[in-house]
Amino acid sequence: MLQLKNNFIFAPVKTGYSDKTGVITEKHLNFYEEKSKFLGAVTPEPMYLDKGLREIPAQIGIDNYDKIDGLKKLTTAIHQYETKVIAHLNHPGRMANPQIPGNYFLSSTNKPCKSVGATPKQMNKDDIQHAINLFANAAKLAVKAGFDIIELQFGHGYLAAQFISPKTNNRTDEYGGSFENRIRFALEVLDAVKEATNLPIIIRISGDEMIPDGIKLDEMIKFSKILKEKAVEAIHVSAGTVCDTPPWYFQHMFVPKGKTWEFAKKIKDEVNIPTIYVGQINTKEDIENLTENFKADYIAIGRALIADPDFIGKYNKQIIGNIRPCLACAEGCLGGVKSGKGLQCLVNPKVGREIDVFEKAKQPKNMAVVGGGLAGMEAALTLKKRGHNVTLFEKDKFGGQFNLAPLTPNKKSMAALIPYFIEEIKDNNINVIYKEVEKFDLINKFDEVVIATGSKPIAIRIDGLDKYYWAEILLKENLPKDKKVLIIGGGLIGVDIATALIPFNNQVTIVKRTTDFGEDMEMIAKILSLKMMKENGTIFSDHTHIKKVSGKTVYAERNGKDIQFDDIDIIVVSVGMKSFNPLENDLRNNISVHVIGDAKKTGNAEDAIKGAFETAKKI
């Protein structure tokens, strides 16, 4: 048995907090220590077994002895809470990052992953033995570094899965063809690791790769039975592959919650082996469901512990507070790592700066915050927690434009964020005044003002365009059915509107002056949204300039040629946003003013929350 103090495990999530030498940094220590207090075990990010096998440039390594001192510091920091530490060992095979100089690419096949592009060498016997040795070497180093448990990555489209999956394994030797041959490499890795260490071993698998010709649950049940015979302690059941089905791999908000739980339950029931459940576990209700209905042995939580490191402490009533919700959006956690900024979070501006948060204000002030969108609410809460007296002015309702975000088909998880902020405002006894603010409400009544009045849609002048919608078309009372809709503007908002209109049998045409539809979207959301649009007959018109509207006919120019769109029932304009800040000039000479969020510079929700936090912690 794993013998944990409770059954909650922090799942491995890439941080990008190392340098290019793969060592543990202070940022790692602070990040993982914060996650360790209320959990049974913590799994740091996947560690590379060889410098030429990195997935990201700033990945932690466990390839040689120069990493031991740092890894010891990490395990020691986690152990102080009687929390165990799991070494997650993974060979990416063909999924090594082709943009990192010095990386090499091996696989069961010589076929590249289409989404990555590097052509791998099909492994010969020497290559196979070398890979097995890398796992065994890393396991020995994990023991020296103080890890308590080994987790071997045999799923998610990485090297072991590249052998197991009929999708990628086209070999004709003893490592290809039959199921018994395809699992041979993985079992040889397991045997080598068992010989190298006496630590308990977890195997992570994809219960299903979610592709027609990939790994399926029936074979994973057979595989798990063999793993049980080899005295594996637990099976960690996820889904998808990083190559073919990244939304399942990342458990993105666009995929249904609970499918991985069903896979795990089937393996648990059929094999009678301790099973780890994972995937979009981000509410108290999820935990109760897994505990009561799925009889989960262990529950692995990843991104929800990034959104709120105290999630399990709050669930277990070890501390009091509202759970800051994970939206499963991948905006900050995946986007930050891919951009090279390191792990971040849309809803939690403290990620990556766990000890550089804020101090109590030396001189508490009487503060006004104007605007109750995401930026305004975050600023009000941070100011209050620092000891300032805060009054929050909102003319309508909290959340601003973010109220529209959950109205698109695959973004319903975003509906959890505004209620969280509202509860926090109540619990922190922030004074709220509902009115449209004038300068006389602020001057001589407050010490300083934070302006968070947001942004408004950019208006365009088109001859004959008298009536049109913006994103408010998504409101129930405005949502059309069976109409021909022309959307002018193909950025995030335009694409989101299109995906919301399609399920109601609307025929959508979307036009853009450039070529990159959804250019400012998170990558997985962009790919899946455009795929949905194309599959449902959306007409895309790039390099298009709208010239005039006459009745139901819209006249335009595309690449210098005149075109027209006929029988258009509804026009939507989403060509961008502009800052809305009517108060600053009236206040600037009378009171100290701070401008945040879209009122300062238009951006996304993560920008708004982070910017508000940074401003408020300095006042």
Side-chain angles (χ1 to χ4, degrees):
M1 293 295 292
L2 299 179
Q3 296 180 329
L4 310 182
K5 69 181 182 186
N6 61 44
N7 69 333
F8 294 106
I9 298 170
F10 184 33
V13 176
K14 298 180 183 73
T15 65
Y17 290 161
S18 188
D19 57 19
K20 292 184 179 180
T21 68
V23 298
I24 295 293
T25 64
E26 285 296 317
K27 207 167 185 178
H28 286 122
L29 298 176
N30 299 329
F31 175 81
Y32 286 112
E33 182 176 340
E34 184 190 48
K35 309 295 179 293
S36 304
K37 300 172 186 177
F38 305 109
L39 304 178
V42 166
T43 315
E45 70 175 39
M47 297 180 285
Y48 67 73
L49 314 182
D50 183 301
K51 193 174 182 180
L53 295 172
R54 284 176 291 169
E55 291 184 77
I56 57 175
Q59 187 175 353
I60 297 171
I62 190 167
D63 56 328
N64 58 51
Y65 281 87
D66 67 352
K67 310 299 191 304
I68 296 297
D69 287 345
L71 291 170
K72 276 185 177 177
K73 288 180 182 178
L74 178 61
T75 57
T76 299
I78 297 170
H79 282 152
Q80 67 181 305
Y81 301 104
E82 298 182 352
T83 300
K84 293 192 174 180
V85 195
I86 302 171
H88 180 92
L89 307 183
N90 177 32
H91 190 309
R94 68 177 186 167
M95 300 312 300
N97 189 333
Q99 296 180 347
I100 299 176
N103 265 4
Y104 61 92
F105 311 94
L106 301 169
S107 183
S108 62
T109 177
N110 58 5
K111 295 186 295 185
C113 168
K114 292 180 182 178
S115 64
V116 175
T119 300
K121 173 192 175 187
Q122 187 172 58
M123 296 169 73
N124 59 31
K125 299 289 179 59
D126 289 340
D127 296 324
I128 288 171
Q129 189 57 53
H130 180 65
I132 293 169
N133 292 343
L134 287 177
F135 276 101
N137 177 64
K140 292 175 184 176
L141 293 173
V143 174
K144 292 183 179 297
F147 285 89
D148 306 289
I149 300 163
I150 301 288
E151 180 170 77
L152 300 177
Q153 173 62 283
F154 286 176
H156 282 162
Y158 292 116
L159 181 61
Q162 289 160 30
F163 276 88
I164 297 169
S165 176
K167 166 79 172 180
T168 51
N169 190 336
N170 58 356
R171 303 176 72 94
T172 57
D173 61 4
E174 67 266 40
Y175 291 95
S178 68
F179 168 71
E180 290 73 19
N181 284 354
R182 286 185 280 115
I183 65 173
R184 189 184 306 278
F185 170 74
L187 294 181
E188 287 179 352
V189 168
L190 173 59
D191 289 342
V193 170
K194 287 175 67 67
E195 187 175 338
T197 173
N198 292 321
L199 295 182
I201 295 174
I202 296 167
I203 302 296
R204 195 173 204 196
I205 63 170
S206 293
D208 192 305
E209 289 189 318
M210 311 307 288
I211 48 178
D213 49 354
I215 290 170
K216 293 298 173 188
L217 183 59
D218 286 349
E219 284 196 339
M220 287 300 95
I221 291 171
K222 287 170 61 179
F223 186 44
S224 297
K225 288 178 178 177
I226 295 168
L227 295 174
K228 180 183 178 183
E229 292 172 1
K230 288 183 168 289
V232 164
E233 295 290 344
I235 307 292
H236 188 170
V237 185
S238 187
T241 88
V242 67
C243 176
D244 297 290
T245 49
W248 286 98
Y249 167 74
F250 288 109
Q251 284 296 295
H252 192 271
M253 61 184 172
F254 275 52
V255 303
K257 178 185 289 194
K259 194 67 178 176
T260 54
W261 311 348
E262 295 173 12
F263 296 150
K265 180 70 162 58
K266 189 73 172 174
I267 288 172
K268 175 181 168 63
D269 290 346
E270 293 281 338
V271 183
N272 190 26
I273 188 171
T275 308
I276 302 172
Y277 290 70
V278 74
Q280 291 191 58
I281 302 168
N282 49 28
T283 68
K284 291 181 178 180
E285 292 75 20
D286 291 337
I287 294 174
E288 289 164 0
N289 183 17
L290 288 167
T291 302
E292 295 170 11
N293 299 321
F294 287 83
K295 310 300 180 187
D297 300 293
Y298 301 101
I299 296 173
I301 301 172
R303 289 168 173 80
L305 285 165
I306 297 166
D308 191 338
D310 296 328
F311 176 22
I312 298 305
K314 292 172 181 176
Y315 171 78
N316 283 331
K317 296 183 171 58
Q318 293 167 276
I319 55 173
I320 304 302
N322 300 302
I323 295 171
R324 190 181 283 252
C326 172
L327 309 182
C329 63
E331 292 275 359
C333 48
L334 176 57
V337 172
K338 283 199 165 187
S339 69
K341 296 176 182 177
L343 184 71
Q344 299 176 41
C345 181
L346 184 151
V347 304
N348 184 358
K350 302 174 188 176
V351 173
R353 58 189 80 185
E354 282 74 17
I355 62 169
D356 178 29
V357 182
F358 54 71
E359 298 175 349
K360 286 285 186 179
K362 294 178 181 177
Q363 184 178 350
K365 296 177 180 179
N366 190 26
M367 297 294 304
V369 178
V370 181
L374 297 185
M377 291 189 288
E378 178 64 44
L381 286 165
T382 302
L383 289 167
K384 181 73 173 183
K385 290 172 183 177
R386 291 189 60 229
H388 295 295
N389 182 46
V390 181
T391 298
L392 177 58
F393 291 90
E394 169 53 49
K395 70 174 183 178
D396 188 8
K397 63 180 181 179
F398 288 122
Q401 294 165 11
F402 200 76
N403 282 292
L404 299 170
L407 301 181
T408 56
N410 298 301
K411 295 187 175 183
K412 298 188 187 305
S413 63
M414 290 190 166
L417 185 55
I418 294 172
Y420 160 78
F421 271 118
I422 292 172
E423 285 302 308
E424 284 285 281
I425 288 166
K426 289 178 183 176
D427 292 350
N428 283 276
N429 297 313
I430 292 174
N431 182 36
V432 177
I433 296 177
Y434 291 95
K435 69 166 296 187
E436 187 163 2
V437 177
E438 299 181 36
K439 64 180 181 179
F440 307 108
D441 297 313
L442 305 170
I443 297 171
N444 298 323
K445 295 180 181 178
F446 295 92
D447 297 318
E448 298 185 29
V449 177
V450 175
I451 295 177
T453 44
S455 60
K456 289 189 177 296
I458 294 173
I460 58 173
R461 292 184 179 180
I462 297 174
D463 185 23
L465 180 60
D466 300 319
K467 181 182 178 182
Y468 60 88
Y469 288 93
W470 177 65
E472 77 278 1
I473 196 172
L474 301 181
L475 297 173
K476 189 175 182 180
E477 61 269 26
N478 296 333
L479 197 61
K481 297 179 181 179
D482 305 311
K483 301 292 184 182
K484 289 189 73 173
V485 182
L486 174 69
I487 300 174
I488 303 173
L492 182 152
I493 295 174
V495 168
D496 271 356
I497 292 170
T499 61
L501 295 178
I502 286 169
F504 294 91
N505 201 37
N506 295 294
Q507 170 62 59
V508 176
T509 298
I510 186 166
V511 304
K512 199 176 193 301
R513 288 202 176 199
T514 56
T515 58
D516 188 7
F517 289 90
E519 62 185 321
D520 42 2
M521 297 180 74
E522 181 273 320
M523 188 53 64
I524 292 177
K526 175 181 176 178
I527 291 170
L528 293 182
S529 295
L530 295 180
K531 181 174 182 285
M532 173 192 178
M533 292 165 67
K534 289 171 184 174
E535 289 174 348
N536 286 276
T538 299
I539 297 169
F540 294 85
S541 184
D542 57 11
H543 293 298
T544 301
H545 169 63
I546 303 298
K547 297 169 69 175
K548 71 174 183 177
V549 177
S550 178
K552 287 192 169 189
T553 303
V554 178
Y555 296 91
E557 182 181 287
R558 183 172 187 265
N559 292 325
K561 295 182 179 180
D562 290 332
I563 60 172
Q564 67 186 54
F565 303 100
D566 298 318
D567 301 318
I568 299 299
D569 299 306
I570 294 170
I571 294 176
V572 176
V573 176
S574 61
V575 294
M577 308 296 294
K578 62 179 180 180
S579 296
F580 178 67
N581 181 8
L583 282 171
E584 183 179 9
N585 289 338
D586 289 340
L587 298 175
R588 183 63 73 183
N589 295 326
N590 298 286
I591 190 171
S592 180
V593 175
H594 309 269
V595 185
I596 63 172
D598 273 10
K600 181 178 182 180
K601 181 181 179 182
T602 57
N604 58 29
E606 183 181 351
D607 296 330
I609 293 172
K610 185 177 292 184
F613 175 77
E614 289 298 323
T615 297
K617 79 176 191 178
K618 296 172 184 175
I619 295 173

